[in-house]
Amino acid sequence: SVFKTVTLAAALENDPNVANRTFSDTGKISFPDGTALNNYMNQVHGDLSLQMAYRVSSNVVFGTLAMEMGNTKLKEVAERFGFNSRINGVGLSIPESQFPTLKEEEIGNIAQSGIGQGSVISTPIQMAIVAATVGNDGVLMQPKLVNKIVDKDGNTIKEISNKALKEDVISKDVATTIKDYMGYLVSNNLYRWPSFEGTNAGGKTGTADYMLENGTEGVPHGWFISVAPLDNPEIAVAVIVEEGENGAGSAANIASKVVRAAVLEK
């Protein structure tokens, strides 16, 4: 569900009125073939604003938005963030993250792609890039492992400069709205993340389902992305905890401690 941040960006671009809409979340989207896309734990959220849908991570709302936009639009925005291409980092190799090409009639797969499931594949650094680009008002910076190299005496041998790879992944207005939603999620969370206190952080939870080789469901991976402080971002974080069950648990707690160390304890 951290990918819902990309879907949110696409929706805000695609429909200028989408932030003012009220969505009806009945707990699932039913498809003509008899399958369905359910919310996490089969929750039913009722009438929701887009901001609240992002906070509670409504699969119904974001699956619906993906179907409304279609595969072409959502894929185009995902690719602007770096999906389906190799991002050249300095001092690190970044495998391609993948967003699928789907036919118009594949509505179930299109809905799944809107919540980051199905055949969407992402590395942690790709989602950190998504968070950083939102925090950076739509500018995607080149990832680098270090800022400078020093010798044993502390003398600077080489500095690695900052480099923008894409200037306009999303507009500043869209980025501002997403940051507002991420901030709302953290400040109005249903859980206790004490390390976020005083950091003015924003975030998004994620729970990644997958199948084991024997055909049974694995314990979901927990995701969390974060940007802080929202008024002048200094850090973007992406955490994945394998078999972490959901992003609101250990992944969020780890992210909050990293954010706190960077923003308040430096």
Side-chain angles (χ1 to χ4, degrees):
S1 291
V2 287
F3 185 83
K4 289 171 182 168
T5 306
V6 177
T7 306
L8 175 60
L12 290 166
E13 278 190 1
N14 190 62
D15 178 3
N17 192 51
V18 71
N20 299 317
R21 287 172 58 183
T22 298
F23 298 87
S24 178
D25 181 334
T26 60
K28 67 179 180 180
I29 303 172
S30 297
F31 303 110
D33 63 359
T35 61
L37 172 59
N38 299 298
N39 284 331
Y40 179 67
M41 301 293 288
N42 296 309
Q43 294 170 326
V44 177
H45 298 296
D47 290 342
L48 290 170
S49 66
L50 184 61
Q51 184 181 52
M52 185 61 75
Y54 186 78
R55 176 199 166 198
V56 301
S57 205
S58 167
N59 289 343
V60 169
V61 170
F62 282 88
T64 297
L65 288 171
M67 291 189 294
E68 289 178 357
M69 287 184 284
N71 175 250
T72 300
K73 175 62 180 178
L74 186 51
K75 180 185 173 190
E76 189 263 323
V77 174
E79 288 181 341
R80 274 194 254 144
F81 276 104
F83 284 80
N84 296 335
S85 63
R86 184 172 288 276
I87 299 172
N88 295 317
V90 180
L92 69 166
S93 176
I94 305 171
E96 283 188 23
S97 292
Q98 299 172 21
F99 188 85
T101 299
L102 300 169
K103 297 177 181 178
E104 187 177 343
E105 60 270 22
E106 294 182 78
I107 56 173
N109 290 333
I110 291 172
Q112 288 278 355
S113 73
I115 68 167
Q117 288 284 169
S119 49
V120 178
I121 299 174
S122 180
T123 61
I125 196 163
Q126 172 63 73
M127 291 315 305
I129 288 169
V130 169
T133 302
V134 169
N136 205 32
D137 291 334
V139 179
L140 191 159
M141 302 299 293
Q142 183 178 43
K144 54 183 178 176
L145 195 60
V146 296
N147 287 322
K148 63 181 179 179
I149 300 169
V150 299
D151 64 17
K152 63 181 179 61
D153 299 316
N155 300 310
T156 298
I157 303 300
K158 181 180 180 180
E159 289 193 20
I160 295 88
S161 59
N162 297 322
K163 180 181 177 182
L165 295 182
K166 296 180 185 178
E167 296 281 355
D168 54 355
V169 174
I170 53 176
S171 70
K172 183 176 180 179
D173 287 346
V174 167
T176 297
T177 299
I178 297 172
K179 282 188 280 187
D180 287 345
Y181 285 20
M182 294 177 79
Y184 183 73
L185 186 150
V186 170
S187 60
N188 293 275
N189 72 82
L190 306 175
Y191 310 92
R192 293 180 181 273
W193 301 326
S195 293
F196 274 130
E197 275 190 38
T199 62
N200 191 23
K204 179 70 187 84
T205 55
T207 304
D209 297 319
Y210 61 96
M211 302 298 290
L212 299 172
E213 290 183 1
N214 63 9
T216 61
E217 291 188 4
V219 178
H221 302 322
W223 278 88
F224 199 91
I225 59 172
S226 185
V227 178
L230 289 172
D231 54 342
N232 187 22
E234 299 174 15
I235 184 171
V237 179
V239 175
I240 180 171
V241 177
E242 294 182 351
E243 299 185 0
E245 296 188 352
N246 66 72
S250 53
N253 285 322
I254 292 168
S256 70
K257 291 173 183 177
V258 173
V259 166
R260 188 171 197 83
V263 173
L264 297 182
E265 299 173 1
K266 57 188 176 182

